[in-house]
Amino acid sequence: MPDKKPEKQNRQGVDSRTLLKRLRDILAEQGEGQERLDKITYIIACSMDADVCSIYLRRDEKTLELCATEGLNPESVHQTRLRVGQGLVGRIADLARPVQSKDAPAAKGFRYMPETGEEVFSSFLGVPIQRLGEVLGVLVVQNREPRVYTEDEVYGLEVVAMVIAEMAELGAFTAEGQQAMAMPHQRPFFAKGIVGQEGVAEGHVVLHEPHIVIANPVADDPESEKKRLAEAFAKLQAEIDRMLKTDQLAATGEHREVLEAYRMFAHDRGWRQRMEASIESGLAAEVAVEKEQSNTRTRMERVTDAYLRERLHDLDDLANRLLRILAGRDGNGADMPDDAILVARNIGPAELLDYGRKLKGVVLEEGSVGSHAAIVARALAIPLVIQAARITREALSGDEILVDGDAGVAHLRPEESVKTAFHEKIAMRAEAQEEYAALRDLPAVSTDGQRIRLEMNAGLMADLPSLEGSGAEGVGLYRTELQFLLRSSVPKRTEQADLYSRVLDAAKGKPVTFRTLDIGSDKVLPYMKRQDEPNPAMGWRAIRLGLDRPGVMRMQFQSLLRGAKGRPIRVMFPMIAQFDEFRAARDMLLEEIRREKTKRHSLPSDVKIGAMLETPSLAFAPDQFFRMADFISIGGNDLKQFFFAADRENERVRRRYDTLNVSFLSFIEQIANRCNDNDTPVSFCGEDAGRPVEALAFAAMGLRTLSMRPASVGPIKRLIRYVDLGKTKTIIDQARASGEQSVRPALEGWLKSIGAPYR
Ligand code: PEP
Ligand code: MG
């Protein structure tokens, strides 16, 4: 403890620069964490002429602990604890903003803690100690006599709290055995998210947007800091102007709107002036940017309006860019470890593809199951967890992390016991993989002799190697739009034809079903003008767009016919809702075949033309439709969303209705019967076909072909080969007859009783 108190400041202004310099000296000195905190509370109390200064740090997610105090009873240090939200201190942590009171004991929410002896102090001012929107603790000053703290004092204390947060990040306050004083990024963190792609991975964090660690949060020379900030702004503005000019982006579309918003923010005087004011009070330029970023993030957590949230995200991204420029770290220059697990707020499909197979796993704070990034992760067979709240704030580059894509969770900086359990899981999975490999060349035949054809879904060249590895018998759904989605302009006809040709080469004679462009709804091409539709999933998408703007579809037909190079192909149209749409699209394709013939181009040896059944209406189309279609593929993802009127992308309702709901299952059965009655081959290619129990139920309902992600072929084949499909049907029928809402309990109960591998 310093033996001589520095001179007291007058109340009108805290000399924050001098105070910050003292803090910096404390940071530079050798010493224990506790000693540092004690000194800090002491010098803040002196320079603010406060009777009390206390620092509360987060002990865990929900609790704050008094870690140092000047003025309160020293015995209460590490004894007094509060829940976040409780008392004035807890409220500050909860709201992430300052709270003051002239008469604290009488203030609403005040919580009396007798052990501290604080009842004699009337006035209270507390500010959050936060970094990048995350509250690490609370800094409080108190005075005996009732008084109001000036705006300058509040601001000054906030600036001090910023420096304390940076010091905490640098590990300045760690102490053996004191949980609240552990470095913020050293505790284990469990992130509960959602399954994006199954699989497990163990490795080290690579942050898509790396954190900048600020070694010196206090600046000596505000003028030179302001100059650095000005230069960084100039660079940022030039970067955005360059992005707006590059021909990578078309003149219209969403990207441009985002960049225009960026440009506006980058020129926003208020934003920059606030940073300059922080620098004036003694902060380094980086910390001044982070202070603004903290405010943005706090606001982001409270705003519910989607548009406003997006704009706040833009502002957050810009602050990240500024920080990187200031730190001289433009771009993702960090070396990738061999076992890289990518952690990001969100990521675009093209960016993810750039990282490619170098990644062992991906954890996203946002994202959705149907997003393009999720599709790419699936194609690359990388375990993916989405919607893992707080992960980008908690993770630091190089942290150990376990990704459990099966459960949709990630363990950051795991404890030994968690690691042991995880290793057991990896070993069990490896055993199962061996079992699937042994089945690879065997057919999926049930014990009562029913043969089910198992195919795989694909959309990228990267998918094709799985055809051989998984034992799939063909590609039941090739999503051609991915080639379009990953590019910045429409791929040329030769490029398309080349891709289709390479896909057929890779399939080595196994059949491939190409689905024509399925865009619109969630699949918006970066170079396509965004349609302002109130309900895009039911809007102008897929075949509707293809028929209304036939140019692109025609070009795709030509590419398919030429890419086939004389081999047989299968073509199907997405989102056919009525017979006429199928007839019109089919006529267009037949017309193109005729034209190619006239031009004496070589033609595929056979062209099968089918429809995707993704709207309930098509199940009730006339028999003529079923007879005209060479095959039908049930797009269960869309069909289910329209059947239950539940958005497939909306996490609130997505899982509300079970696929094994008797209504849906009976509907699938009806479709299978109609197709069988008309001799129309039918398959199911939605995600549910890749889930063992669902796949089994579909097979029992009469579907003989299922198309799924490659990793599902093994588990589903193993289950089908284990069961009697006739008996499965009986179990389902009994459950239906008994008035159950879903046949799942009955079916899973039975599978369990016979020891079937259904999980
Ligand atoms: C479907 O809707 O089930 C389907 C396979 O198509 P997508 O998921 O591409 O919409
Ligand atoms: Mg669909």
Side-chain angles (χ1 to χ4, degrees):
M1 215 17 81
D3 46 6
K4 186 166 163 282
K5 285 206 174 196
E7 255 175 53
K8 297 204 165 175
Q9 294 293 320
N10 77 40
R11 263 174 205 168
Q12 294 320 307
V14 181
D15 179 1
S16 70
R17 258 195 258 162
T18 313
L19 179 53
L20 293 197
K21 278 187 194 146
R22 288 209 188 111
L23 291 183
R24 189 188 50 193
D25 294 343
I26 292 175
L27 180 62
E29 282 165 16
Q30 295 281 340
E32 290 286 314
Q34 187 65 53
E35 208 180 317
R36 285 201 174 107
L37 281 177
D38 290 341
K39 281 186 189 168
I40 290 173
T41 49
Y42 176 73
I43 62 165
I44 295 174
C46 292
S47 67
M48 285 193 71
D49 197 10
D51 297 317
V52 173
C53 172
S54 311
I55 292 176
Y56 297 79
L57 293 176
R58 256 201 151 113
R59 182 183 166 79
D60 53 45
E61 195 52 30
K62 298 197 180 85
T63 325
L64 290 154
E65 181 174 306
L66 177 66
C67 287
T69 186
E70 168 66 25
L72 295 185
N73 178 6
E75 303 282 301
S76 56
V77 171
H78 297 302
Q79 303 302 319
T80 293
R81 293 196 188 130
L82 283 154
R83 286 181 78 75
V84 171
Q86 191 181 46
L88 297 181
V89 171
R91 196 156 100 215
I92 295 164
D94 189 32
L95 299 175
R97 61 164 192 257
V99 167
Q100 71 157 305
S101 172
K102 203 167 151 187
D103 184 6
K108 194 167 158 259
F110 178 80
R111 182 171 169 271
Y112 177 49
M113 292 176 294
E115 73 278 13
T116 62
E118 68 173 335
E119 64 281 4
V120 297
F121 303 104
S122 263
S123 359
F124 172 103
L125 166 63
V127 298
I129 300 172
Q130 61 180 332
R131 187 169 191 268
L132 301 177
E134 182 180 5
V135 177
L136 308 174
V138 175
L139 172 63
V140 173
V141 288
Q142 287 171 281
N143 280 79
R144 213 173 279 272
E145 82 273 28
R147 54 159 302 199
V148 174
Y149 296 93
T150 64
E151 257 181 47
D152 279 355
E153 284 173 316
V154 178
Y155 185 77
L157 201 63
E158 278 188 298
V159 168
V160 170
M162 254 333 267
V163 174
I164 295 178
E166 295 297 337
M167 290 169 86
E169 187 64 34
L170 290 167
F173 309 133
T174 50
E176 194 83 14
Q178 297 290 0
Q179 172 101 6
M181 291 167 64
M183 251 171 98
H185 287 105
Q186 277 187 347
R187 293 173 220 140
F189 177 74
F190 170 70
K192 170 117 194 59
I194 289 174
V195 179
Q197 155 75 10
E198 285 87 355
V200 287
E202 178 176 18
H204 291 91
V205 169
V206 168
L207 285 173
H208 184 49
E209 294 277 356
H211 282 304
I212 307 289
V213 178
I214 301 163
N216 188 359
V218 181
D220 281 326
D221 179 0
E223 286 315 311
S224 80
E225 287 303 294
K226 278 201 279 184
K227 195 159 158 261
R228 284 179 64 225
L229 183 71
E231 283 163 5
F233 261 102
K235 246 186 164 172
L236 177 73
Q237 287 156 356
E239 213 175 75
I240 296 168
D241 288 343
R242 202 170 43 247
M243 276 152 70
L244 269 162
K245 273 199 206 107
T246 49
D247 48 9
Q248 273 218 333
L249 294 153
T252 53
E254 196 190 9
H255 282 73
R256 189 171 185 94
E257 272 172 38
V258 170
L259 286 177
E260 293 285 6
Y262 274 25
R263 177 146 71 180
M264 198 180 78
F265 289 135
H267 284 87
D268 184 293
R269 292 278 328 138
W271 196 45
R272 180 157 155 190
Q273 274 164 357
R274 286 195 297 277
M275 294 178 196
E276 285 171 348
S278 300
I279 291 176
E280 293 278 358
S281 52
L283 293 182
E286 287 90 340
V287 190
V289 177
E290 280 196 354
K291 188 166 185 295
E292 280 309 299
Q293 200 174 17
S294 259
N295 290 342
T296 310
R297 291 195 174 173
T298 309
R299 274 166 68 200
M300 215 144 70
E301 275 178 13
R302 299 185 200 291
V303 164
T304 47
D305 179 79
Y307 178 80
L308 220 57
R309 264 183 80 86
E310 269 311 305
R311 295 291 77 84
L312 287 170
H313 270 313
D314 293 348
L315 203 56
D316 190 50
D317 278 349
L318 271 191
N320 273 331
R321 277 172 199 266
L322 260 184
L323 281 173
R324 261 186 278 141
I325 296 173
L326 280 167
R329 295 227 330 245
D330 309 21
N332 300 318
D335 286 339
M336 291 266 283
D338 287 343
D339 55 359
I341 309 267
L342 188 76
V343 172
R345 184 164 65 77
N346 214 342
I347 190 166
E351 285 173 303
L352 186 54
L353 216 53
D354 276 348
Y355 284 105
R357 293 193 198 274
K358 282 179 282 186
L359 299 177
K360 291 268 173 292
V362 181
V363 184
L364 299 180
E365 196 157 311
E366 300 181 351
S368 67
V369 218
S371 70
H372 308 133
I375 293 171
V376 170
R378 251 165 246 153
L380 298 170
I382 302 172
L384 166 71
V385 173
I386 54 170
Q387 304 200 357
R390 302 176 51 78
I391 191 74
T392 57
R393 294 191 192 179
E394 292 286 345
L396 288 183
S397 285
D399 276 351
E400 224 181 336
I401 187 167
L402 311 176
V403 181
D404 186 342
D406 299 347
V409 300
H411 303 269
L412 190 65
R413 302 179 287 266
E415 282 167 0
E416 276 313 308
S417 57
V418 175
K419 274 204 266 186
T420 311
F422 195 77
H423 290 153
E424 275 165 24
K425 185 164 181 163
I426 292 181
M428 267 165 61
R429 276 190 133 256
E431 251 173 56
Q433 291 303 333
E434 272 177 34
E435 222 182 303
Y436 305 147
L439 294 176
R440 195 181 53 200
D441 301 319
L442 298 175
V445 185
S446 62
T447 54
D448 55 339
Q450 306 197 52
R451 169 87 164 87
I452 309 297
R453 203 182 145 79
L454 303 183
E455 298 185 330
M456 65 170 248
N457 295 347
L460 296 167
M461 265 320 281
D463 288 311
L464 270 299
S466 305
L467 189 51
E468 213 164 302
S470 66
E473 295 168 80
V475 177
L477 165 66
Y478 189 91
R479 292 179 162 105
T480 60
E481 62 275 7
L482 291 193
Q483 188 191 18
F484 288 68
L485 283 165
L486 296 176
R487 312 232 340 190
S488 50
S489 58
V490 180
K492 296 193 186 83
R493 188 173 49 202
T494 48
E495 289 170 325
Q496 290 182 47
D498 178 55
L499 174 70
Y500 304 146
S501 178
R502 283 188 293 131
V503 170
L504 289 169
D505 292 346
K508 296 190 182 133
K510 287 183 179 169
V512 180
T513 303
F514 291 97
R515 174 176 76 185
T516 61
L517 264 188
D518 182 10
I519 47 173
S521 185
D522 61 316
K523 297 170 190 154
V524 180
L525 301 184
Y527 38 89
M528 195 176 99
K529 189 165 168 19
R530 202 186 177 92
Q531 301 295 319
D532 238 340
E533 293 186 294
N535 200 340
M538 297 199 220
W540 196 52
R541 55 174 288 204
I543 198 66
R544 304 168 183 179
L545 209 145
L547 290 173
D548 294 353
R549 295 267 189 285
V552 177
M553 192 151 86
R554 206 164 266 142
M555 178 156 94
Q556 190 176 31
F557 288 159
Q558 290 162 3
S559 312
L560 283 165
L561 296 171
R562 293 178 196 179
K565 295 193 180 145
R567 292 167 284 190
I569 54 165
R570 297 162 59 84
V571 179
M572 69 178 173
F573 307 119
M575 281 286 290
I576 298 285
Q578 56 184 6
F579 185 16
D580 267 4
E581 286 170 341
F582 177 67
R583 197 168 13 214
R586 181 175 175 272
D587 284 349
M588 263 176 72
L589 177 53
L590 294 175
E591 173 63 24
E592 232 30 71
I593 295 175
R594 271 194 293 277
R595 280 200 210 172
E596 291 289 294
K597 214 178 200 167
T598 336
K599 289 186 199 155
R600 298 187 182 281
H601 287 152
S602 87
L603 283 170
S605 55
D606 184 34
V607 183
K608 291 270 184 279
I609 308 177
M612 283 192 78
L613 196 155
E614 305 189 87
T615 63
S617 62
L618 198 66
F620 303 94
D623 280 335
Q624 283 81 349
F625 158 72
F626 289 89
R627 284 189 224 121
M628 184 181 281
D630 291 327
F631 63 93
I632 280 170
S633 189
I634 302 173
N637 306 336
D638 275 311
L639 186 65
K640 194 176 155 202
Q641 88 165 333
F642 297 126
F643 189 78
F644 288 113
D647 188 341
R648 62 192 263 191
E649 292 284 316
N650 181 342
E651 290 301 330
R652 278 226 178 109
V653 298
R654 199 168 67 82
R655 275 176 294 195
R656 194 178 176 98
Y657 306 99
D658 190 1
T659 302
L660 299 187
N661 174 299
V662 290
S663 309
F664 190 63
L665 212 50
S666 303
F667 185 47
I668 296 293
E669 186 178 33
Q670 268 185 43
I671 298 169
N673 289 343
R674 279 211 77 183
C675 291
N676 292 339
D677 291 349
N678 287 287
D679 283 331
T680 320
V682 57
S683 64
F684 188 106
C685 68
E687 295 299 316
D688 285 323
R691 304 194 168 102
V693 181
E694 283 82 339
L696 189 67
F698 295 156
M701 292 297 101
L703 295 179
R704 286 292 164 269
T705 304
L706 302 171
S707 189
M708 62 200 68
R709 57 178 81 169
S712 294
V713 174
I716 286 172
K717 191 186 282 184
R718 181 174 69 170
L719 179 59
I720 288 175
R721 289 176 62 89
Y722 192 93
V723 297
D724 177 322
L725 266 184
K727 176 77 181 149
T728 309
K729 171 92 175 13
T730 310
I731 300 289
I732 291 176
D733 286 344
Q734 280 166 357
R736 284 198 283 194
S738 69
E740 297 292 325
Q741 176 168 285
S742 164
V743 306
R744 187 178 301 278
L747 193 50
E748 290 191 354
W750 172 65
L751 289 171
K752 193 167 176 204
S753 73
I754 61 167
Y758 67 96
R759 280 195 198 277

